[in-house]
Amino acid sequence: MKPLWICPTCGRGFANLNQTHSCSDVRLEEHFAGRDPHVIATFHALVEAAKKSGPVTVLPEKTRIAFQVRMSYAAFTLRTHWIDGHVVLARRLESPRFRRIEFFSPRNQLHAFRLHKPSEVDAEVVRWLAEAYLVGEQKHLTEARRSARPRQGS
């Protein structure tokens, strides 16, 4: 894969050259202000769960906190009493815990959910983050290209 393009203004890396974005100088701690302690603990549980898949960049933005590898694959908005989050998966995944699923393309589907306490960052959420991590790595695109190629001798 080609190297990330680095924004000369904010220093953030992107998979696409000259990616449209809003440069941000928001600090992570700013998202914690006025939040219940269990909300902050839930966010830290999400970070630890995401790290099980590999290195992750935590990107505080104006209205959310994104998790990124090559591209953002999950994002979270900390509210006073809960966290609204989403993962981007390369397929539609059904779960009663998803509040909505947005279809952008067959390999880009946003799955939104809400968490209230650290114990809700359970094995199911860890699996969502692990699957979304592959999207963040853009492995879903590599696999799609590989499967679309004609096989030798066919």
Side-chain angles (χ1 to χ4, degrees), residues 74-136:
F76 307 93
T77 302
L78 280 61
R79 304 293 187 190
T80 303
H81 305 295
W82 65 80
I83 295 176
D84 284 329
H86 72 256
V87 291
V88 178
L89 303 178
R91 65 184 177 114
R92 183 181 184 93
L93 177 65
E94 297 296 334
S95 169
R97 295 172 73 183
F98 291 133
R99 297 165 56 85
R100 73 180 189 286
I101 299 173
E102 295 179 29
F103 179 90
F104 294 105
S105 72
R107 298 202 176 272
N108 185 356
Q109 300 187 40
L110 182 147
H111 295 68
F113 55 92
R114 178 171 285 172
L115 301 173
H116 294 90
K117 56 190 175 187
S119 62
E120 292 178 325
V121 184
D122 56 12
E124 182 179 30
V125 173
V126 170
R127 284 191 302 274
W128 298 343
L129 288 167
E131 187 173 333
Y133 190 91
L134 299 175
V135 173

Side-chain angles (χ1 to χ4, degrees), residues 16-89:
N16 296 319
L17 181 66
N18 296 318
Q19 174 73 44
T20 302
H21 69 285
S22 296
C23 294
S24 175
D25 60 356
V26 175
R27 293 185 345 246
L28 184 61
E29 295 75 25
E30 293 176 45
H31 286 277
F32 300 154
R35 305 309 186 259
D36 288 344
H38 64 270
V39 168
I40 298 167
T42 302
F43 177 76
H44 288 305
L46 286 163
V47 172
E48 291 308 309
K51 287 180 178 178
K52 291 179 181 181
S53 297
V56 60
T57 302
V58 177
L59 294 167
E61 299 172 346
K62 184 176 178 181
T63 60
R64 68 183 196 159
I65 305 167
F67 289 179
Q68 178 185 349
V69 186
R70 288 186 55 79
M71 60 181 265
S72 294
Y73 65 91
F76 307 93
T77 302
L78 280 61
R79 304 293 187 190
T80 303
H81 305 295
W82 65 80
I83 295 176
D84 284 329
H86 72 256
V87 291
V88 178
L89 303 178

